[in-house]
Amino acid sequence: MNTKVTIAGVELKNPVMTASGTFGSGQEFSEMTDLNKLGAVVTKGVSSVPWPGNPTPRIAEVYGGMLNAIGLQNPGIDVFIERDIPFLQDYSCKKIVNVCGKTVEEYLAVVERLNDQPIDMMEINVSCPNVKEGALAFGQDARVLEDVTKKIKAVAKKPIIMKLSPNVTNIKEMGLAAEAGGANAVSLINTLMGMKIDINRKKFVLANKTGGFSGPAVKPVAVRMVYDVAHTVKIPVIGMGGIATAEDAIEFMMAGATAISVGTMNFVDPETTSKIADGIEQFMKDKGIEDINDIIGCVE
Ligand SMILES: Cc1cc2nc3c(=O)[nH]c(=O)nc-3n(C[C@H](O)[C@H](O)[C@H](O)COP(=O)(O)O)c2cc1C
């Protein structure tokens, strides 16, 4: 039975990955779940300098999921290289580093620092506000997305995954823009923009007013977007958004995802990812599937 999948020449032992920002770099989770069982760990977004994040409260529970406005708090690339990359070297999972920035130059600075590090791929979070062009996220304008992808590809020495924002009118156009810019793969979905109001206090629940909506409630939106992009571009698609079980993971793969990531559900059960890896194998046995690659995009 084969559970291996390949993205941009990088072979994952299985298609199960962690979603950026929900698993740190694996340090805390390694005490609760076996990182060696995962196809890849995708780390929390890292920027060229430390980011303090947004004021609190910055997370809230909603039906079927959560809102977060963490604001990409991170210690910056220097600490990340010194502390997080060495930690991951003890594990056999592939290492994918998620990169954030507020200008193209900031993205490029991080990519250049990561070029010679022992990591397998970089995932670029384009849901960050583009401060020089009116603060609309890089991933909300196809022209800007293609341009930032090209500039990153011109300096990157590792395969590049562009992580698409679902807060757009036409997700296929965004997949095509990333592909045209030379991306090796795309991943989706990032969080959907949401809001929650405390009606007793007549205040926003999050200090930031809005936050990213994630968790099982977003899954049908994510499956539809993964299907749309996977049937539009030729590069591999990594699917995520509300995955809680092996059945959810298989649904994304049948929609066209080569691999999948688990985000919010890590907070509910830190063993979700390894349980999903086991559940996929069980599903393959039950259905007599010899090669996991046979189910990718198989839905008609
Ligand atoms: C608390 C939290 C922090 C996140 N941080 C990041 C991040 O740093 N970079 C990124 O690209 N996505 C980030 N995301 C988005 C997730 O990686 C994922 O795309 C999204 O939550 C959908 O998957 P899920 O429904 O399984 O959580 C974050 C999500 C959450 C809930």
Side-chain angles (χ1 to χ4, degrees):
M1 199 169 73
N2 176 50
T3 59
K4 295 193 194 91
V5 295
T6 303
I7 295 169
V10 177
E11 190 180 82
L12 279 61
K13 66 179 83 163
N14 63 48
V16 183
M17 324 199 322
T18 61
S20 176
T22 65
F23 207 80
S25 294
Q27 288 99 328
E28 281 180 80
F29 278 87
S30 67
E31 294 170 21
M32 297 175 277
T33 196
D34 184 2
L35 305 193
N36 290 321
K37 282 185 77 166
L38 306 182
V41 164
V42 182
T43 58
K44 166 94 190 142
V46 62
S47 49
S48 56
V49 292
W51 284 3
N54 286 325
T56 57
R58 52 190 191 173
I59 55 169
E61 208 167 328
V62 294
Y63 295 128
M66 65 182 284
L67 296 178
N68 95 81
I70 304 294
L72 297 168
Q73 181 179 347
N74 79 89
I77 189 68
D78 291 337
V79 171
F80 183 83
I81 286 177
E82 207 171 295
R83 183 191 70 187
D84 296 37
I85 293 181
F87 165 80
L88 283 169
Q89 297 316 303
D90 291 340
Y91 296 94
S92 61
C93 55
K94 297 296 179 200
K95 291 98 188 156
I96 303 178
V97 177
N98 183 283
V99 176
C100 52
K102 291 181 180 130
T103 60
V104 175
E105 294 71 32
E106 280 183 26
Y107 282 110
L108 296 180
V110 180
V111 168
E112 281 177 343
R113 291 291 305 281
L114 289 169
N115 268 341
D116 299 318
Q117 291 296 317
I119 61 164
D120 299 287
M121 293 190 256
M122 300 181 210
E123 180 184 60
I124 311 299
N125 177 5
V126 287
S127 296
C128 310
N130 182 351
V131 293
K132 284 194 187 149
E133 288 202 43
L136 194 69
F138 289 89
Q140 287 177 308
D141 179 324
R143 183 189 54 82
V144 172
L145 178 60
E146 181 176 338
D147 182 61
V148 70
T149 309
K150 265 193 194 137
K151 287 181 173 142
I152 289 171
K153 277 298 293 178
V155 302
K157 291 189 197 159
K158 312 270 180 190
I160 292 295
I161 304 162
M162 297 305 286
K163 180 162 179 181
L164 304 183
S165 166
N167 302 310
V168 296
T169 312
N170 185 347
I171 194 71
K172 292 183 192 173
E173 193 191 2
M174 296 302 163
L176 286 169
E179 185 174 54
N184 300 93
V186 288
S187 58
L188 68 156
I189 60 172
N190 210 316
T191 54
L192 291 148
M193 182 95 78
M195 179 184 280
K196 184 176 181 177
I197 292 165
D198 180 335
I199 58 164
N200 294 310
R201 293 167 54 241
K202 294 191 211 150
K203 284 191 185 310
F204 300 103
V205 170
L206 299 174
N208 189 55
K209 295 187 188 171
T210 60
F213 178 34
S214 62
V218 310
K219 200 189 78 178
V221 177
V223 172
R224 188 266 298 174
M225 288 192 166
V226 165
Y227 176 85
D228 277 351
V229 173
H231 288 78
T232 303
V233 300
K234 293 183 187 72
I235 52 180
V237 172
I238 299 164
M240 75 197 86
I243 295 177
T245 64
E247 287 73 21
D248 295 338
I250 288 159
E251 188 179 345
F252 273 84
M253 294 188 75
M254 288 188 175
T258 299
I260 57 91
S261 290
V262 179
T264 302
M265 286 306 290
N266 291 309
F267 301 131
V268 178
D269 174 1
E271 287 190 286
T272 306
T273 43
S274 45
K275 285 179 183 168
I276 289 178
D278 289 341
I280 290 175
E281 282 192 26
Q282 190 58 49
F283 181 85
M284 291 173 71
K285 275 185 205 141
D286 293 347
K287 303 281 183 197
I289 299 164
E290 275 303 313
D291 185 347
I292 189 77
N293 291 281
D294 292 344
I295 71 163
I296 298 170
C298 72
V299 66
E300 284 160 19

